[in-house]
Amino acid sequence: MNYEPNEQGYWGEYGGRFVPETLVAPLDELTSGYFAVRDDPGFHAEFQDLLQNYVGRPSPLYYAKRLSETLGGAKIYLKREDLNHTGAHKINNCIGQILLARRMGKKRIIAETGAGQHGVATATVCALFGLECVVYMGTEDMRRQELNVFRMRLLGAEVRGVDSGSCTLKDAINEALRDWVTNVDTTYYLLGSALGPHPYPLMVRDFQSVIGREARDQIIEKEGRLPDVLVACVGGGSNSIGLFHPFLNDNVRMIGVEAGGRGETLGEHAARFMAAGRVGVLQGTKSYLLQDNDGQIALTHSVSAGLDYASIGPEHAYLHDMNRVEYASANDEDALAAFSTLSETEGIIPALESSHAVAHAIKIAPEMSANDIMIVNLSGRGDKDVNTVQEEFVKRNI
Ligand SMILES: *Cc1c(COP(=O)(O)O)cnc(C)c1O
């Protein structure tokens, strides 16, 4: 199987394009722009060159010996996306899309950001190419993520506060879409996860698949065989699909870990595949969603901002229904404990998002044998989270 969406961007019943008429032409232009470079060796050479010399790829595949031995089960390898320039996997996608924007002749880049991580990665690649950058961000998120706002401004981006609705990510997305429709001739909309209308979920997955391609080569070199299981956290779904995709046709078990938050009640978590998850449309794509009985999008909670989202990329919805990928959740407590465990056993402070994947590894590794190999995607580093974790520890008297 090739796991490609059809021409309309559907994986089974998921994906597609649910947008106002005004966005159809810009998305068509983007789709033909992307398909023009998708198999172009010149484009890929440029992409690879920047990944190597600017991002610092390939990221190491590191055998976490002390963690593995402490747990007493599977041999755990960490794919070190935390070592990338800007500290997470998001830069891979931003490099790919900025190169596409240049090919399409766009001089102005817009993006939306929740916690600010995607905004920082976008501002970074705009500085790299001297392109104008406008980042939409809810004013509530700006208040919570003051340091990332400052980072974006240092990088030369304009951060536009959005104070409609709940003043968070979904309101910022609406403003960014409004801007795009108005300025489509000059402007490229750089979306940050494997979400949104076609072709974004496909394009973001393609750019992030460098993670899985490298991991595949690296594990074969180190162990002479494929791993038994892959584990990655799932927000919108980009780091996980990037790791999983190159292994989909192999006999490898895969587990996506969602944010279990404070509990299983709707509103207290961001686990779209838990009982409350239903199929619907959000931000241009059809997928699993957290919604209440009236079809209203539910509030979500997670200690990690990057996993705190009501929907999940459409390819994940498809892989879930086919039972090709398993989905589990780790709650706030599990993630905080994993954050400490990895810091103490390996000297690696993980992002809170990645801590959810580590938490699941900690849970299942002891049930596996010492001959089993697990790869955990360490999607980002935890420097951005130390203040949050400190506050959470104080609350718990840790
Ligand atoms: C944004 C983010 C995530 C979640 O996004 P995905 O698209 O699901 O990968 C996970 N980890 C880190 C470090 C992030 O910054």
Side-chain angles (χ1 to χ4, degrees):
M1 275 193 72
N2 67 6
Y3 296 93
E4 291 297 282
N6 71 11
E7 212 160 303
Q8 282 74 44
Y10 282 94
W11 285 269
E13 66 166 304
Y14 304 108
R17 247 187 213 175
F18 295 82
V19 295
E21 197 58 38
T22 44
L23 281 176
V24 171
L27 286 167
D28 279 343
E29 186 195 354
L30 178 63
T31 306
S32 45
Y34 180 55
F35 277 90
V37 301
R38 197 177 183 211
D39 297 314
D40 173 5
F43 181 84
H44 284 280
E46 233 183 316
F47 183 49
Q48 281 307 326
D49 177 69
L50 282 170
L51 290 181
Q52 184 179 331
N53 296 301
Y54 188 70
V55 175
R57 305 201 70 90
S59 65
L61 184 72
Y62 164 73
Y63 171 42
K65 187 164 187 284
R66 250 173 54 81
L67 177 66
S68 304
E69 289 176 357
T70 306
L71 297 172
K75 209 168 169 185
I76 302 173
Y77 282 86
L78 303 175
K79 182 59 175 159
R80 300 290 309 274
E81 294 300 297
D82 60 312
L83 293 177
N84 292 341
H85 179 47
T86 69
H89 68 291
K90 289 197 168 71
I91 192 81
N92 304 326
N93 168 49
C94 287
I95 295 278
Q97 288 200 54
I98 203 84
L99 291 176
L100 175 59
R102 275 161 48 91
R103 293 269 176 131
M104 292 175 69
K106 307 292 182 185
K107 303 268 183 274
R108 180 173 177 270
I109 307 297
I110 59 170
E112 85 294 324
T113 194
Q117 295 305 111
H118 174 58
V120 170
T122 303
T124 300
V125 296
C126 289
L128 176 65
F129 286 107
L131 296 174
E132 184 185 343
C133 180
V134 175
V135 179
Y136 288 91
M137 190 169 186
T139 47
E140 176 59 21
D141 287 336
M142 285 175 76
R143 191 185 58 75
R144 290 191 288 206
Q145 304 289 337
E146 214 184 308
L147 212 54
N148 275 340
V149 174
F150 184 60
R151 278 196 188 99
M152 287 183 260
R153 289 182 172 147
L154 277 175
L155 293 161
E158 181 192 337
V159 182
R160 288 195 190 159
V162 177
D163 57 7
S164 56
S166 56
C167 307
T168 58
L169 181 62
K170 69 178 185 354
D171 313 290
I173 293 175
N174 290 337
E175 276 313 302
L177 288 173
R178 206 162 298 158
D179 180 319
W180 198 27
V181 169
T182 315
N183 301 298
V184 66
D185 288 345
T186 58
T187 300
Y188 183 95
Y189 181 19
L190 207 165
L191 209 140
S193 189
L195 279 169
H198 180 61
Y200 285 108
L202 170 67
M203 181 164 69
V204 175
R205 174 260 269 176
D206 285 349
F207 290 141
Q208 292 293 2
S209 293
V210 65
I211 302 172
R213 281 196 306 273
E214 285 177 5
R216 204 171 190 289
D217 291 346
Q218 289 166 320
I219 200 70
I220 288 172
E221 198 194 307
K222 286 176 198 291
E223 294 280 354
R225 68 172 182 93
L226 291 174
D228 297 284
V229 58
L230 306 175
V231 181
C233 67
V234 193
S238 70
N239 85 86
S240 49
I241 202 73
L243 175 67
F244 296 165
H245 205 267
F247 293 93
L248 281 174
N249 286 314
D250 299 312
N251 185 19
V252 174
R253 185 179 169 206
M254 305 178 185
I255 308 171
V257 186
E258 301 185 283
R262 284 185 291 244
E264 294 185 15
T265 315
L266 190 65
E268 297 293 320
H269 63 85
R272 288 67 43 107
F273 293 129
M274 265 193 336
R278 302 201 216 144
V279 174
V281 169
L282 185 65
Q283 263 111 33
T285 192
K286 187 173 174 193
S287 187
Y288 278 76
L289 291 184
L290 289 168
Q291 51 195 144
D292 66 20
N293 289 333
D294 302 323
Q296 295 292 319
I297 302 305
L299 293 174
T300 51
H301 163 82
S302 170
V303 70
S304 74
L307 301 185
D308 196 355
Y309 190 65
S311 182
I312 182 167
E315 192 170 358
H316 284 284
Y318 178 69
L319 294 170
H320 169 268
D321 286 10
M322 308 180 53
N323 294 315
R324 178 62 190 94
V325 177
E326 299 161 48
Y327 294 84
S329 64
N331 64 26
D332 289 356
E333 305 306 316
D334 301 333
L336 287 165
F339 184 94
S340 293
T341 301
L342 191 65
S343 301
E344 289 166 12
T345 56
E346 295 289 346
I348 297 171
I349 301 178
L352 273 174
E353 291 82 3
S354 323
S355 300
H356 287 71
V358 176
H360 195 72
I362 290 172
K363 187 168 162 192
I364 65 170
E367 301 158 7
M368 298 172 69
S369 98
N371 297 321
D372 289 332
I373 299 170
M374 179 190 304
I375 296 179
V376 178
N377 204 19
L378 208 66
S379 55
R381 59 175 168 247
D383 305 39
K384 68 182 180 62
D385 294 319
V386 290
N387 285 333
T388 307
V389 172
Q390 190 180 28
E391 284 167 22
E392 298 293 329
F393 281 5
V394 168
K395 277 188 217 165
R396 292 166 177 78
N397 293 316
I398 294 173

